[in-house]
Amino acid sequence: MANNPAPERLFFAEADTRLVQALSASFEGNYDNVLLFDGDLVLEGDFLDAVAGIGSLDDVDLVVITGDLTVSGPIALYEFLPGLYVGGTTRAETLEGGDCEIYIQDGTFTHLVYGYYNDGILEACTVETPWVINYNHDLSVSAPDARLVDNYGNDDNADFGSENIVESFVTEVVDPEYKSIKVPEFLERLRAGLPVLRPGARTAKDAVLADVARARADRVLHLDLSERKLKEFPAEVLRMPWLRTLVLDGNPIGRLPDEIGTLTDLELLSVRDCGLAELPASIGRLSRLRVLRIAGNTTYDFSTEPAHRPIRLPDTIGRLTTLEELDVSELSSKPSGTGEALPDITPFALPETAGNLIHLRRLVADQTNLVFPASMQGLASLEEISMVGRSWRYLKRFPEALTGFPNLRKLELRGNFFQEIPATLLRLTNLEELDLDNALGLVKTPLPDLSRLLRLRVLKLSGLTDHTGVPVPSHELLRPVLANPLPALEELEIDRWGAEDRGGRGPMTADVIAGIGAFQSLKRIDLSFNGLAELPDGFFTLPAVEQIDLRYNALSREVRRRVADAYPGARIDFRDQGGVDGDSEREQATAAGSLITQANALRGRGEWSAALAEYDKAIAQYTEGDADSAYGLLYAYYGKMWIHGKVGHGDEGTEQYRAQHRRDGFAVAETCMRLVPPVWQIFHFTDEGQFQREVVRYATNFLAWEIIHAEDPAPTPKDLADALRLIEKGVACADGGDHLYLHDTYARVLLALGRESDAWREVQRALAIDPAFAPLRDLRVDHRYQAWADRSAGTGD
């Protein structure tokens, strides 16, 4: 029998004084009564039952043990009261917390530490336990040797999460519907000494180390380990001196080893969002490095102001004389203070030695208040600078220092908070692309005469601002821009100037853009979201136009027909002409159109079954009743297909439920494809034509994806040929980066057909548009793709 101290009942303030304010320093709740054990406590069985056997827990808010706590059974505290504080070391079978607050020091737990849901708090110093499981709980535990399970989602620090729980653990402890661990069953198997992991199951760390070992054995040249939950730099990589590409983005590794300088063949090093406090001086030994990406690397010290500390760059960075691209984005913090007097986001300075980067061509400093050293001024190699603003990381003053780079061709400054665009911008006489989208809301003075930029090919002047309290710019800013010709201009974006809220001037009038006819080299024009009811005569005299975006204006049928007649070979988007007599607007006036409107509203609220029923009623009107509209019938089927795709590939309900939606969606998608004309017959310059293209994109992707992922029965060669025929139609209707999902499916169909080279070529095209496109991540890191990329670049195996 343990010689336990007798418990004392104290008010919280008394107990806190006894423990020198340790309780008030820890607990966030308001508590009255404390059951205090002064000294070590040894208990048999369940913690709460054992404590209740010593002293009643009635009206007890906290149990406090000043010494060590040893329990032969579990510590399982799921109710709001009582909470627990242990001043010494805690030993138990488990430590489980729910709605209460638990604060312990070091500890050892035979089976697991578990935090359930988010109402309580469980904090500990360093503990020994094989498993730490968190289900959306405020859980702060250091357990260096434990396997971490995120039972709610897929936390970056977890070894197991929703993406790999089902495949990693035995079926007895898994809830496949929610992709989570059933903790009681999990604990029961641990107590019985039975395995909980499947044979061959690996933690995230195990998996990445195995991949690195395989890559080393295969002598791969390009290694992408982004977002693999690494908590430290994988040392095995240092045994691959032949590496040319190393990507570690999104891993909280904390530091790069000094030995990184031994990888002297590296041409690309990307360590974005890795929690790095500094780059080692040995980085200067990477004499072949062409691309260095260190964006988002910050550490925090809340004892200083500002608490946010960006990565420190060594002077040796100036030795990287082959460097062509440098990314230092997201390295500024929000300064202290409030209101209009708030200064710019904190500066981030490049070292003086950056002036030695004589081959630097592209500099990316998005969401960073970049300070250029004097040594960089006039750097002849620099051709592209991006200083894009976003959220609270925006610039209030135009960074005039960047006008000192004489050969700058591309300048991206969208999303900032400028009050003036200075005339010094005109020093950049070689500028070809200028992006000031969403950056003019506070500009009060006229823009400089951009016609002096004789090489300008792309000009982006979107008006809509995302900054709270910042108005849409005055239309008067546009008049001087369009008053003088830009002879080389091929692409012009003057969109989203028609808002009536947030200080907007309301719909734009045609006279604001009257000078557009002087831009005779224009190929692509975006005038969407402007509320235009008319277009100036000069708009119809542009000989080189290939693409026009006129969405969300108020153009009559006559104006739209005039545009279509003027540019018969151009791709024109006329969708959403509010309040005018388009086909889709007339449909809403019919009974069937009213049913579609109701179905759309239900769909928007996630009431899937009710929405499907309304679409079916509309289809019946079109096929069995008096309503007659090919557009309306197609729209109703499209709405059904969208719902089936959303549910079938979502996470609602059981897998059987989702599979049924996929089967139903397949049939509806086939119907949609029968209702649309052949792709080459779709008139893309009409509202209906644009909608038909969207239907083709969605339906072909739905059908092709389902075909190649069929399991019972598996797809036949004919099925795969049909999938290829379908997805090729979808790709033909794709519009750039907005529809990369089609290229993803296209590549997978080609792989299923054994056409690997064609598949990898499609992956390469898509990644050239968006290198971070998430659905292609598995193909991007596929060793077969990397080998093909090496061969196609003529760089070896």
Side-chain angles (χ1 to χ4, degrees):
M1 179 70 67
N3 187 20
N4 289 320
E8 302 176 63
R9 288 180 175 270
L10 304 173
F11 290 118
F12 182 89
E14 296 177 84
D16 194 33
T17 300
R18 180 91 65 89
L19 273 71
V20 196
Q21 282 69 54
L23 300 183
S24 56
S26 300
F27 289 88
E28 296 183 6
N30 296 316
Y31 300 104
D32 295 323
N33 301 315
V34 172
L35 188 66
L36 184 143
F37 293 87
D38 192 2
D40 298 339
L41 184 64
V42 179
L43 302 173
E44 295 293 329
D46 177 87
F47 170 75
L48 278 181
D49 291 343
V51 170
I54 298 174
S56 173
L57 288 174
D58 292 343
D59 298 324
V60 171
D61 298 331
L62 295 176
V63 176
V64 175
I65 296 98
T66 64
D68 296 341
L69 171 63
T70 302
V71 184
S72 66
I75 301 175
L77 306 178
Y78 287 95
E79 300 300 325
F80 179 72
L81 296 174
L84 174 64
Y85 176 87
V86 181
T89 299
T90 304
R91 301 175 182 85
E93 184 189 45
T94 67
L95 178 61
E96 306 166 53
D99 287 340
C100 67
E101 291 187 75
I102 300 173
Y103 295 90
I104 70 168
Q105 312 311 310
D106 297 337
T108 299
F109 303 97
T110 308
H111 297 311
L112 57 80
V113 174
Y114 176 44
Y116 173 72
Y117 204 52
N118 59 359
D119 290 334
I121 300 172
L122 197 165
E123 289 192 7
C125 295
T126 303
V127 302
E128 295 180 20
T129 189
W131 296 96
V132 174
I133 304 176
N134 191 5
Y135 182 79
N136 199 26
H137 192 74
D138 189 345
L139 176 65
S140 179
V141 173
S142 174
D145 298 323
R147 291 166 171 167
L148 307 182
V149 179
D150 180 1
N151 216 28
Y152 183 79
N154 189 35
D155 184 84
D156 287 344
N157 292 319
D159 295 304
F160 300 99
S162 57
E163 67 177 10
N164 65 348
I165 280 178
V166 174
E167 67 190 46
S168 300
F169 291 88
V170 297
T171 57
E172 291 85 351
V173 304
V174 168
D175 183 336
E177 181 176 349
Y178 293 99
K179 300 178 182 178
S180 62
I181 295 292
K182 296 187 288 187
V183 176
E185 288 83 351
F186 183 86
L187 184 53
E188 182 180 350
R189 287 184 69 87
L190 292 179
R191 285 171 173 153
L194 297 173
V196 292
L197 285 171
R198 294 176 184 267
R202 300 181 299 181
T203 66
K205 179 180 179 181
D206 293 336
V208 72
L209 292 180
D211 288 347
V212 171
R214 183 165 52 251
R216 178 171 173 264
D218 293 342
R219 294 184 66 86
V220 302
L221 299 175
H222 309 286
L223 187 60
D224 187 342
L225 301 175
S226 55
E227 298 180 355
R228 297 293 300 274
K229 301 182 181 180
L230 286 167
K231 300 178 182 65
E232 59 186 16
F233 185 91
E236 186 79 357
V237 170
L238 298 173
R239 301 175 65 188
M240 303 171 67
W242 57 82
L243 270 182
R244 297 186 184 177
T245 297
L246 177 58
V247 181
L248 292 165
D249 297 347
N251 292 293
I253 58 176
R255 62 177 295 273
L256 289 178
D258 291 338
E259 293 81 2
I260 192 74
T262 63
L263 302 180
T264 53
D265 279 356
L266 273 183
E267 297 178 4
L268 185 153
L269 175 62
S270 188
V271 286
R272 293 177 292 194
D273 299 304
C274 289
L276 303 180
E278 62 182 0
L279 285 183
S282 63
I283 203 79
R285 296 170 57 189
L286 303 181
S287 58
R288 297 184 182 180
L289 201 65
R290 294 185 299 102
V291 179
L292 176 61
R293 297 171 182 157
I294 57 173
N297 281 289
T298 57
T299 54
Y300 294 86
D301 181 354
F302 292 100
S303 66
T304 65
E305 180 60 40
H308 168 287
R309 291 186 175 183
I311 188 172
R312 293 186 297 275
L313 303 184
D315 289 341
T316 54
I317 199 170
R319 299 177 187 172
L320 302 178
T321 55
T322 60
L323 200 66
E324 298 175 9
E325 178 183 326
L326 176 63
D327 185 351
V328 291
S329 299
E330 299 179 50
L331 296 181
S332 283
S333 66
K334 191 174 185 178
S336 59
T338 58
E340 287 298 318
L342 189 67
D344 279 320
I345 54 177
T346 57
F348 176 79
L350 295 175
E352 190 67 29
T353 57
N356 297 328
L357 304 179
I358 57 174
H359 288 100
L360 188 65
R361 187 185 63 82
R362 183 167 188 258
L363 179 59
V364 184
D366 297 340
Q367 305 177 66
T368 298
N369 186 6
L370 188 65
V371 177
F372 298 90
S375 64
M376 286 191 73
Q377 288 302 304
L379 192 64
S381 61
L382 201 54
E383 297 180 352
E384 299 181 18
I385 294 179
S386 178
M387 295 181 71
V388 172
R390 184 180 180 187
S391 185
W392 54 262
R393 285 196 181 108
Y394 51 77
L395 301 175
K396 296 179 70 174
R397 288 181 290 273
F398 187 94
E400 290 202 44
L402 54 78
T403 65
F405 300 106
N407 293 320
L408 206 62
R409 293 189 303 103
K410 183 176 182 179
L411 180 57
E412 296 179 271
L413 295 170
R414 64 183 177 276
N416 283 300
F417 205 171
F418 301 137
Q419 300 177 20
E420 180 185 15
I421 306 299
T424 51
L425 175 67
L426 304 179
R427 296 174 183 167
L428 302 176
T429 55
N430 287 307
L431 202 62
E432 297 179 12
E433 299 183 37
L434 175 60
D435 185 349
L436 289 170
D437 276 354
N438 198 20
L440 304 175
L442 293 182
V443 172
K444 299 296 188 293
T445 57
L447 300 181
D449 181 5
L450 300 180
S451 65
R452 291 168 59 183
L453 303 177
L454 299 179
R455 299 185 180 185
L456 198 64
R457 296 185 301 101
V458 179
L459 178 59
K460 299 181 180 182
L461 298 172
S462 173
L464 181 61
T465 174
D466 293 329
H467 302 310
T468 303
V470 178
V472 175
S474 167
H475 296 167
E476 296 306 308
L477 284 177
L478 292 175
R479 294 184 189 275
V481 174
L482 296 169
N484 299 296
L486 288 164
L489 197 67
E490 298 179 356
E491 182 175 339
L492 176 63
E493 293 184 6
I494 301 179
D495 58 299
R496 291 166 170 78
W497 289 69
E500 298 189 43
D501 58 348
R502 287 176 298 161
R505 276 67 179 177
M508 183 185 290
T509 54
D511 62 295
V512 173
I513 57 172
I516 197 171
F519 299 161
Q520 291 288 289
S521 296
L522 275 180
K523 295 180 180 180
R524 292 172 293 281
I525 309 169
D526 186 350
L527 293 174
S528 60
F529 294 87
N530 286 328
L532 287 161
E534 299 287 342
L535 294 170
D537 288 340
F539 179 86
F540 300 94
T541 63
L542 302 170
V545 167
E546 300 173 354
Q547 184 173 328
I548 308 173
D549 190 344
L550 289 167
R551 291 173 299 150
Y552 290 92
N553 285 293
L555 303 175
S556 67
R557 180 179 293 276
E558 290 72 21
V559 173
R560 286 181 282 164
R561 178 52 61 184
R562 185 183 177 193
V563 174
D565 290 344
Y567 304 110
R571 173 174 291 178
I572 309 171
D573 194 339
F574 281 129
R575 284 175 291 174
D576 299 294
Q577 302 300 318
V580 297
D581 56 349
D583 294 335
S584 60
E585 288 84 356
R586 277 206 308 270
E587 286 304 324
Q588 302 308 313
T590 68
S594 178
L595 290 170
I596 289 177
T597 300
Q598 295 174 40
N600 289 344
L602 292 166
R603 186 180 74 179
R605 295 196 297 269
E607 299 178 33
W608 312 126
S609 297
L612 289 170
E614 293 302 303
Y615 284 130
D616 282 335
K617 291 178 185 177
I619 290 170
Q621 288 276 346
Y622 289 123
T623 57
E624 302 170 12
D626 297 330
D628 182 15
S629 169
Y631 179 98
L633 181 62
L634 179 61
Y635 194 101
Y637 276 112
Y638 171 80
K640 291 187 64 176
M641 177 176 60
W642 189 95
I643 290 174
H644 288 311
K646 174 74 173 178
V647 178
H649 293 282
D651 54 12
E652 294 184 23
T654 64
E655 173 54 28
Q656 183 179 5
Y657 170 77
R658 295 192 294 270
Q660 185 60 53
H661 271 282
R662 294 196 294 271
R663 287 191 293 270
D664 292 344
F666 191 94
V668 174
E670 288 184 316
T671 300
C672 286
M673 289 305 295
R674 288 195 294 269
L675 293 174
V676 294
V679 170
W680 63 272
Q681 289 184 3
I682 293 177
F683 297 105
H684 56 77
F685 54 81
T686 66
D687 287 356
E688 188 169 12
Q690 287 293 334
F691 174 63
Q692 288 168 342
R693 287 170 63 86
E694 167 62 15
V695 172
V696 170
R697 288 191 292 263
Y698 199 108
T700 57
N701 191 72
F702 195 126
L703 292 167
W705 188 268
E706 292 302 314
I707 288 172
I708 63 173
H709 288 90
E711 294 181 353
D712 188 17
T716 65
K718 181 183 180 302
D719 294 332
L720 295 177
D722 289 342
L724 181 64
R725 174 181 53 81
L726 286 162
I727 198 61
E728 284 177 339
K729 291 181 180 180
V731 171
C733 291
D735 294 322
D738 291 337
H739 305 123
L740 288 180
Y741 66 89
L742 290 163
H743 298 277
D744 175 30
T745 302
Y746 188 22
R748 296 176 195 277
V749 171
L750 290 167
L751 284 175
L753 284 164
R755 293 170 52 179
E756 285 199 6
S757 293
D758 292 334
W760 302 137
R761 194 171 293 109
E762 195 64 23
V763 172
Q764 188 179 62
R765 289 193 191 105
L767 293 177
I769 297 172
D770 183 1
F773 186 57
L776 279 173
R777 186 186 179 284
D778 62 318
L779 297 184
R780 184 184 69 198
V781 302
D782 191 300
H783 67 92
R784 296 172 297 168
Y785 171 66
Q786 294 176 353
W788 174 86
D790 291 340
R791 290 194 300 272
S792 65
T795 57
D797 64 347

